[in-house]
Amino acid sequence: GQQLNQSPQSMFIQEGEDVSMNCTSSSIFNTWLWYKQEPGEGPVLLIALYKAGELTSNGRLTAQFGITRKDSFLNISASIPSDVGIYFCAGHPPPNSGAGSYQLTFGKGTKLSVIP
Amino acid sequence: GAVVSQHPSRVICKSGTSVKIECRSLDFQATTMFWYRQFPKQSLMLMATSNEGSKATYEQGVEKDKFLINHASLTLSTLTVTSAHPEDSSFYICSARVSKYGYTFGSGTRLTVV
């Protein structure tokens, strides 16, 4: 089935630094979504991208849908301690790709640690 | 916004017993819900897709008789882990489709089988 390669697997950064993480796929995706998950909680949607080339911001977060439709990145500027968590990319493959209707495929996550 | 309420948040059960996890959409109707399983430090793995009024669609390798899914109403889907064993211990998360490509997730259920 569809697979998303997410990197880096983990990051340790100083408070105030900028963060960048990305997801790639060998096949195209129709949407790219970025979620944050904190311990013992379900994922919370941060940014949703629906068009190739789309660049969207949500506060200090910025994400882009790659022009090839096979990648996406998420940037966090001026990190703060509450940014700690696991960030997942997710996407919808095209309808005829073999995946079920509107099923999400998740990356393996990027664990972010922020050092005050 | 659309909220999904998942209960219980934590449950400990004895090996061989069954556990039911509920997922309710609070302010919208969810015709499609998804059930995921997440092992420690791993990603979410889709177990099954439940559609209101019809049988759930299970992913390859997921035992239908072990993980019973019921989606009898537009606001409630349940996952029952039958005859639970320690290897079923995991974090289970439900998700409801709120728009064409929009989803909201429950807060998860930590299942521990002893």
Side-chain angles (χ1 to χ4, degrees):
Chain A
Q2 305 285 338
Q3 288 194 351
L4 293 180
N5 301 307
Q6 186 172 349
S7 65
Q9 194 173 15
S10 62
M11 304 178 73
F12 287 83
I13 61 168
Q14 285 291 138
E15 182 177 358
E17 288 184 351
D18 297 342
V19 173
S20 184
M21 59 192 79
N22 69 85
C23 266
T24 60
S25 172
S26 58
S27 53
I28 63 173
F29 275 73
N30 278 354
T31 63
W32 285 93
L33 308 167
W34 285 92
Y35 289 88
K36 179 185 178 185
Q37 185 181 27
E38 298 191 15
E41 298 289 331
V44 174
L45 181 66
L46 299 174
I47 293 180
L49 303 161
Y50 301 108
K51 295 180 182 178
E54 181 180 354
L55 181 71
T56 298
S57 293
N58 178 7
R60 294 179 295 107
L61 279 62
T62 302
Q64 185 160 30
F65 193 144
I67 199 72
T68 65
R69 296 171 63 190
K70 292 183 179 181
D71 64 314
S72 177
F73 72 74
L74 173 71
N75 288 342
I76 305 173
S77 62
S79 58
I80 58 178
S82 61
D83 290 334
V84 165
I86 301 178
Y87 293 79
F88 289 99
C89 63
H92 288 99
N96 60 350
S97 64
S101 297
Y102 305 112
Q103 286 181 5
L104 277 177
T105 298
F106 280 84
K108 293 186 182 298
T110 296
K111 184 176 181 180
L112 178 63
S113 300
V114 179
I115 304 167
Chain B
V3 176
V4 167
S5 176
Q6 184 173 345
H7 292 282
S9 58
R10 296 174 184 270
V11 58
I12 301 173
C13 71
K14 290 186 177 180
S15 188
T17 61
S18 296
V19 174
K20 181 186 283 188
I21 302 170
E22 291 188 348
C23 198
R24 293 181 184 273
S25 56
L26 296 186
D27 47 5
F28 67 101
Q29 293 183 330
T31 55
T32 303
M33 286 193 176
F34 303 90
W35 287 95
Y36 295 86
R37 183 174 182 175
Q38 186 178 32
F39 289 106
K41 300 183 180 180
Q42 300 216 0
S43 188
L44 284 74
M45 299 301 296
L46 181 65
M47 299 174 65
T49 302
S50 77
N51 295 294
E52 186 269 336
S54 63
K55 290 184 179 180
T57 303
Y58 290 80
E59 294 301 298
Q60 194 172 10
V62 178
E63 298 176 59
K64 301 178 184 181
D65 296 331
K66 176 115 183 118
F67 299 99
L68 300 179
I69 291 174
N70 185 285
H71 195 159
S73 79
L74 287 170
T75 59
L76 175 64
S77 177
T78 61
L79 168 68
T80 301
V81 183
T82 63
S83 187
H85 291 284
E87 58 265 30
D88 298 324
S89 298
S90 190
F91 193 56
Y92 293 87
I93 308 172
C94 66
S95 171
R97 184 172 158 221
V98 300
S99 63
K100 186 176 182 182
Y101 292 123
Y103 300 80
T104 188
F105 286 81
S107 55
T109 297
R110 172 73 60 195
L111 171 63
T112 303
V113 185
V114 297

